[in-house]
Amino acid sequence: MGEHRVRFAAIFDAEVRRQNERFRTAAAVHPGEDVLDVGCGTGESTRQAAEDGGTALGVDVSAPAITRARELGGAAFEVADAQTHPFPSAAFDVVLSRFGAMFFADPPAAFANLARALRPGGRLVLLVWQERDRNEWYSVLHDAVAPGTPAPPAGPHFSLGDPDRTRALLEGAGFAEVAFTELRDPVCYGPDAATACEFALGLLDVKQLFAAGDEQSVSRLRNAFAARETPEGVLLGARTWIVTARVRPA
């Protein structure tokens, strides 16, 4: 996935352009703030935090993604697992994560580690998928690749989609004032059906579905994307949350 993430970095960023605009506004990074961007990929959200005046550090477990982020520059980047990395205590004003925090293997430990890295009153701002059955883009993929088959268990990228569970998780890790803002903006899989199909074939969900697919799956996928081509690209319905919280004062 790291190589696919780098190869299609521009598509990954363009996919969530609408959501990212709202995410950046919610983050409201101010000049002089210290920012940690978790699961930064090739670093677009980290660079934007730096452009907004923050001193930004982006971390990701993918070495290829961090290599590319460093080539693009604009901020500092490290290969690190945010759930275990020994960040300095109370070193950051803001922790951001744009579709990265859902993948923690041990979410309670991960968010507790991030809470320790924040200064008292520091804020957490996440952009996450809502639950899978609320996201049309998954239905489009499933119905094209493996029609008539039961969907496999939802992947970790939907793990923060339930607000009650996520609120309990964050409060248990030391956060307060947990709030959810719903976004219903579509995602863009590329400028045309051919690009969208090539992009989608490297995604974890599609690879998982191909276990139940057949030789016609690629053709059906391309046709499904062709039916959703617009002047703005191949658009699929999506629902996400912007999750905000603050570290409780000591």
Side-chain angles (χ1 to χ4, degrees), residues 19 99 127-130 135 181-183 238-242:
Q19 293 85 353
F99 296 116
L127 181 61
V128 304
W129 298 113
Q130 292 189 28
N135 277 283
T181 300
E182 182 178 36
L183 307 184
R239 289 192 183 189
T240 55
W241 296 116
I242 292 177

Side-chain angles (χ1 to χ4, degrees), residues 1-3 5-6 41 59-68 78-80:
M1 186 62 180
E3 293 181 0
R5 181 69 180 82
V6 172
V59 298
D60 201 288
V61 295
S62 170
I66 291 297
T67 296
R68 181 55 180 154
E78 287 186 30
V79 177

